[in-house]
Amino acid sequence: MNLPVKYNFKDFTLENYKYILSLIKEKFKTITFDEVFNSEQKSKILLLRHDIEFSVAIALKMAEMEKEQGLLSTYFIQLHSEFYNPLDKDSFEAINRIKELGHKLGLHFDAHFWNVRNEYELEKYLEIDKSTLETYFRVTIDAFSFHNTNNFILSFNKEKYANLVNVYSKKIMSEFGYCTDSTGYWRYERLEDRIKSGNDDKLHILIHDGMWQNEILPPRQRVFKVIDERAAYLKKLYDETLKRFGAKNIDWEEIY
């Protein structure tokens, strides 16, 4: 089986993302999630959403591309990720840069971290994470997306919880077509084909940063590349920090 063809490996490059954005610009007006319920334009509108999962640096590159095309996105930030820390200096500055480019910030909420069992707990922990994001990034958070959905989580389908727009609400999921690159391949339909078809009056697109690279790779290797680059960065950071503070750096031999 030809997996690169079956799963469209060549689609998931940053250069091709730029091309996809040009198609979006021709067909749609991008809106934010808080505009879903009061937008005067009823057709050819698009919700462009990023759940930041692996690499804030790649998310920033995508945000810059969108800015060049005059498109608006919402970047949903996770506070409990194993892959990145939004509050470390580099990520913090990159997220603020995304905000400065005119994009919206949202909360990528991990109900599994909080072991959410009911609606009361959902709203309680949404408030905590929302407050953290708003405090650090000095923004008003209007919307949230769930991380790692399952049938139980998707049963929370009201329009809002904790006064935040639920991107998986019954209203949004029923009124908007949906296309996502979750786990590194197109779910439901190839995005380029869907945009070109012109069949959607309203479309909701979900993009995951680490699934897009400069080179053509299978999904697993795209994620491993982010992990390996992060590990190399941290090793270099450790060495440089010890050197800057004049501390001994001892391996099998003393480096300095």
Side-chain angles (χ1 to χ4, degrees):
M1 184 178 295
N2 190 338
L3 294 183
V5 173
K6 180 179 179 180
Y7 293 108
N8 299 293
F9 288 5
K10 65 181 177 61
D11 281 8
F12 296 93
T13 66
L14 291 171
E15 186 62 32
N16 192 56
Y17 187 66
K18 188 183 298 185
Y19 170 65
I20 288 173
L21 292 177
S22 71
L23 297 179
I24 291 173
K25 185 177 181 179
E26 289 178 4
K27 300 280 187 177
F28 293 98
K29 177 184 184 295
T30 51
I31 66 169
T32 57
F33 285 90
D34 57 309
E35 294 177 298
V36 167
F37 306 112
N38 58 19
S39 176
E40 293 181 2
Q41 186 167 336
K42 301 300 182 184
S43 64
K44 297 305 174 187
I45 53 177
L46 182 138
L47 293 164
L48 184 52
R49 164 180 152 218
H50 295 259
D51 286 353
I52 303 183
E53 296 280 13
F54 304 104
S55 172
V56 180
I58 293 175
L60 175 55
K61 290 179 182 177
M62 300 180 115
E64 290 169 341
M65 292 180 191
E66 291 157 0
K67 174 67 173 180
E68 290 173 3
Q69 295 278 4
L71 300 174
L72 183 62
S73 285
T74 304
Y75 284 79
F76 290 81
I77 302 159
Q78 191 181 157
L79 289 174
H80 309 291
S81 174
E82 291 85 1
F83 295 97
Y84 73 97
N85 174 11
L87 304 183
D88 73 43
K89 186 172 178 59
D90 286 348
S91 296
F92 180 75
E93 290 179 351
I95 291 169
N96 273 306
R97 177 60 184 150
I98 290 171
K99 182 183 74 171
E100 289 167 1
L101 289 169
H103 301 298
K104 298 277 285 189
L105 301 183
L107 169 63
H108 192 33
F109 181 71
D110 189 353
H112 307 286
F113 176 87
W114 292 110
N115 295 317
V116 168
R117 294 168 297 179
N118 52 53
E119 189 173 300
Y120 168 79
E121 292 182 347
L122 172 61
E123 296 208 295
K124 173 184 175 181
Y125 295 120
L126 276 171
E127 289 282 5
I128 292 172
D129 282 359
K130 171 191 174 185
S131 177
T132 301
L133 278 184
E134 290 184 331
T135 299
Y136 275 94
F137 294 102
R138 299 181 182 181
V139 293
T140 298
I141 301 297
D142 297 315
F144 79 96
S145 63
F146 284 115
H147 175 61
N148 286 345
T149 57
N150 57 29
N151 288 336
F152 172 70
I153 288 172
L154 292 177
S155 70
F156 296 106
N157 59 15
K158 292 182 181 178
E159 292 179 7
K160 290 188 177 184
Y161 293 96
N163 204 32
L164 297 174
V165 174
N166 173 17
V167 308
Y168 288 106
S169 68
K170 182 181 289 187
K171 177 179 177 64
I172 291 175
M173 297 307 289
S174 63
E175 291 186 6
F176 285 75
Y178 186 53
C179 190
T180 174
D181 64 356
S182 296
T183 63
Y185 63 95
W186 297 121
R187 300 298 181 90
Y188 316 116
E189 191 175 348
R190 186 172 176 240
L191 180 55
E192 179 181 334
D193 295 340
R194 184 149 193 173
I195 295 170
K196 285 181 175 178
S197 74
N199 292 332
D200 292 289
D201 282 332
K202 300 179 179 180
L203 184 60
H204 174 191
I205 298 172
L206 169 56
I207 298 293
H208 295 85
D209 44 274
M211 293 305 173
W212 300 75
Q213 296 286 344
N214 288 319
E215 58 198 291
I216 297 173
L217 293 169
R220 185 167 180 260
Q221 293 305 316
R222 292 176 222 148
V223 175
F224 279 13
K225 187 172 187 291
V226 172
I227 295 169
D228 291 344
E229 287 174 351
R230 179 66 177 170
Y233 165 78
L234 291 174
K235 290 176 183 178
K236 183 181 178 183
L237 178 65
Y238 176 80
D239 283 346
E240 290 178 346
T241 300
L242 265 62
K243 187 173 184 177
R244 186 166 68 253
F245 288 97
K248 287 185 177 181
N249 193 359
I250 302 169
D251 203 322
W252 292 108
E253 57 186 21
E254 192 170 313
I255 299 174
Y256 44 75

